[in-house]
Amino acid sequence: MNKRIPCIELKRSIAPWAGVMVLGAALAFLYLILGEGERSTTRWTAQWTSMALQIRGSLYFLWPLAVGLGALQGMRDHRSRMSELLASTPRPASHRAATLSAAMAIALASGFAAIVLVGGVQVLFNTEYTHLGWLPISLVGALSLVAGAVLGMGVGRALPSVFTPPALAVGILVFTTIMQMSLTKVDAATGISRTEPNLLSLLSPAAQPALDVLLTLSASVHVGQTIWLLGMAATGFALLAAGSLRNRLIALTPVLAGAVVALLVLPSDTRQVYVVDKIAAELVCEGPICVTKTHQARLNDLAGPGKDALRRMHSALKEQAPVSIREETNVWPDGSTPRWSREIALFGFDDPMIAAAKGKELSRALIANSLVPDCSPRGVEAVSVSAISAQSIAASWVLDESEPLSSDFTYFSKLQLDQVHRVWKEIKRLPQAEQRSRVSTMYLGAVACKGDPLAALDGGASR
């Protein structure tokens, strides 16, 4: 009989529809809004941690939806005018509350699990790096839906008004919106906006979208959010079972205590919210060519062109050339200027030139990236015209091409193109030793992020 009650509750409640709505809304968001992110390494079907974080990002609107549906379910007894009848039965109110809560929990957790399953099946075909670091991120996400729905049911039963479900859903949506807005900060010195989590924003289960494939949420975030959500669920359950005003006021204790304890556990230092997954960042190498464990499946395609790029750069620049090419494992905060090494050329698979290239094209892209690395502040999606021009000229010079590739200058104006061709012809007229000197001077200035690389090729000082 006990097994039949939850099954009957599932049939006669809106719980199954809640699970279906969560699943449908999440998949619509992930496929229609996020899409595949082109070749981005942080797209939700590329890696396990990225998948978990992107799905958690959808809680921005799924969490208010779950709370609103829970409130609608909590008003069922009031709508059917059975409150007094049920109160007169010998069965404790806590038993009915447990049955109703279990039905919603099963439906919402199943819907969330289905979302993770859809993403997980695709991730299996896109990466060889398998781990369980994504599991806590997903479990907290499922718990947030369950806790939100149970809280909504409790509030719906305590305040049985037709306005309660929409008001509660909108209130939670406003809360998550404010939390999302609080993530954006503007650097007073540079004017660059950056995304930075804060202590209060961590009370929202909606995770910040994956910014780097090597980043994951810290253990203290998982623990703090779990405490807060368990307190929320306890308050919802207590409200659902409470029959008097006094008991309903007492029922608020768990959520308040959970919030206080969570704020003590959650990291106050923003650098401890998203941390580098050290195992994912471990290097896997084939000779001087290294990638992170996350992208070890790409090493075979990268090794040949990478070694060819190193050989050609050494032949052209001698002892000034880099001796190794490695995937970058440093995660720079938005607004910061990266630091590069002369001996070790760093790259990222999010670089569109490298992500789209294969064979000789990949070798050329690695040469260009190694000799003129991107010195733009992190978070700024722009590379200077000077850097693009210098990359193309330097790569063409190393490969002994007749002229820079026209495809490198798709969006250049005629004046900018004329400057590139003038610098190229000027370099090619010089003796070989002077050509090498100019490229070496440009390279040393570029890895130090000093001066104008195109001006250095033109004979100016790399300041």
Side-chain angles (χ1 to χ4, degrees):
M1 185 68 179
N2 290 336
K3 294 181 180 179
R4 290 178 58 192
I5 293 176
C7 294
I8 295 173
E9 196 64 63
L10 279 171
K11 292 179 180 179
R12 63 192 291 263
S13 70
I14 65 169
W17 292 107
V20 171
M21 289 178 68
V22 164
L23 174 60
L27 292 180
F29 170 78
L30 293 168
Y31 278 111
L32 301 180
I33 297 179
L34 288 186
E36 285 298 304
E38 298 178 352
R39 296 177 180 270
S40 171
T41 58
T42 57
R43 68 186 188 277
W44 78 287
T45 57
Q47 297 290 342
W48 291 101
T49 301
S50 299
M51 176 201 70
L53 287 174
Q54 298 287 24
I55 292 176
R56 279 281 298 272
S58 67
L59 292 177
Y60 168 74
F61 63 90
L62 291 182
W63 194 40
L65 176 64
V67 175
L69 290 172
L72 185 63
Q73 179 62 48
M75 293 170 52
R76 184 183 63 182
D77 294 346
H78 176 77
R79 292 197 309 271
S80 59
R81 300 179 182 179
M82 294 178 58
S83 301
E84 293 183 3
L85 176 62
L86 292 173
S88 65
T89 60
R91 188 184 180 199
S94 59
H95 288 191
R96 295 194 303 273
T99 303
L100 186 59
S101 300
M104 285 294 287
I106 292 171
L108 289 173
S110 298
F112 193 84
I115 303 168
V116 175
L117 180 62
V118 171
V121 169
Q122 296 177 84
V123 171
L124 281 174
F125 291 98
N126 289 328
T127 182
E128 293 182 358
Y129 176 56
T130 304
H131 61 100
L132 294 178
W134 59 273
L135 194 55
I137 303 173
S138 298
L139 289 176
V140 173
L143 176 61
S144 71
L145 291 179
V146 173
V150 174
L151 178 66
M153 286 189 290
V155 175
R157 189 178 189 279
L159 302 172
S161 167
V162 69
F163 299 108
T164 298
L168 199 55
V170 171
I172 297 296
L173 181 62
V174 170
F175 171 75
T176 57
T177 301
I178 293 174
M179 293 304 98
Q180 290 292 317
M181 292 172 61
S182 70
L183 298 176
T184 303
K185 306 290 183 182
V186 178
D187 191 309
T190 62
I192 298 173
S193 62
R194 64 179 186 272
T195 304
E196 184 178 286
N198 55 64
L199 187 60
L200 190 59
S201 71
L202 295 177
L203 293 179
S204 170
Q208 184 180 348
L211 300 178
D212 191 282
V213 72
L214 300 179
L215 288 181
T216 187
L217 286 169
S218 64
S220 58
V221 173
H222 298 319
V223 174
Q225 290 182 336
T226 299
I227 292 172
W228 155 243
L229 292 171
L230 288 176
M232 184 186 301
T235 287
F237 184 82
L239 286 173
L240 197 59
S244 64
L245 178 60
R246 176 177 175 273
N247 289 341
R248 288 169 182 168
L249 292 176
I250 294 175
L252 299 177
T253 303
V255 71
L256 297 176
V260 171
V261 175
L263 290 174
L264 294 175
V265 173
L266 291 169
S268 57
D269 186 350
T270 58
R271 293 171 296 181
Q272 298 302 317
V273 176
Y274 288 89
V275 296
V276 174
D277 185 338
K278 294 182 179 180
I279 297 178
E282 288 180 1
L283 291 177
V284 180
C285 301
E286 184 175 321
I289 311 300
C290 301
V291 298
T292 60
K293 200 169 184 178
T294 302
H295 294 129
Q296 59 188 0
R298 300 194 182 192
L299 182 58
N300 289 336
D301 293 333
L302 183 74
K307 291 175 182 178
D308 179 62
L310 287 175
R311 179 181 59 80
R312 290 177 179 275
M313 285 189 289
H314 182 267
S315 176
L317 297 176
K318 306 304 180 186
E319 69 279 357
Q320 297 287 351
V323 297
S324 175
I325 294 178
R326 299 180 185 177
E327 183 181 357
E328 186 177 12
T329 57
N330 292 316
V331 179
W332 303 96
D334 287 347
S336 63
T337 300
R339 293 186 292 273
W340 307 109
S341 166
R342 184 192 66 79
E343 296 183 349
I344 301 174
L346 301 176
F347 73 96
F349 283 109
D350 275 329
D351 185 324
M353 287 197 308
I354 293 174
K358 291 183 179 180
K360 292 182 179 179
E361 291 182 358
L362 179 55
S363 179
R364 190 180 194 280
L366 289 171
I367 291 172
N369 179 81
S370 300
L371 295 182
V372 190
D374 182 14
C375 288
S376 302
R378 284 295 177 258
V380 178
E381 298 295 331
V383 182
S384 69
V385 170
S386 174
I388 295 173
S389 303
Q391 281 182 338
S392 183
I393 291 173
S396 296
W397 180 81
V398 168
L399 295 170
D400 197 23
E401 295 172 344
S402 59
E403 62 179 9
L405 296 181
S406 58
S407 58
D408 293 341
F409 314 111
T410 306
Y411 303 105
F412 276 33
S413 66
K414 184 178 183 302
L415 183 62
Q416 291 166 340
L417 284 173
D418 290 343
Q419 184 181 21
V420 170
H421 291 304
R422 181 186 61 77
V423 173
W424 171 256
K425 292 177 181 178
E426 172 67 21
I427 289 177
K428 297 301 286 184
R429 281 197 295 263
L430 297 172
Q432 188 65 27
E434 180 62 22
Q435 292 181 32
R436 181 179 296 113
S437 175
R438 285 201 183 185
V439 176
S440 296
T441 300
M442 181 276 302
Y443 170 55
L444 295 176
V447 295
C449 288
K450 295 181 179 179
D452 185 325
L454 186 60
L457 289 175
D458 199 19
S462 181
R463 297 181 297 276

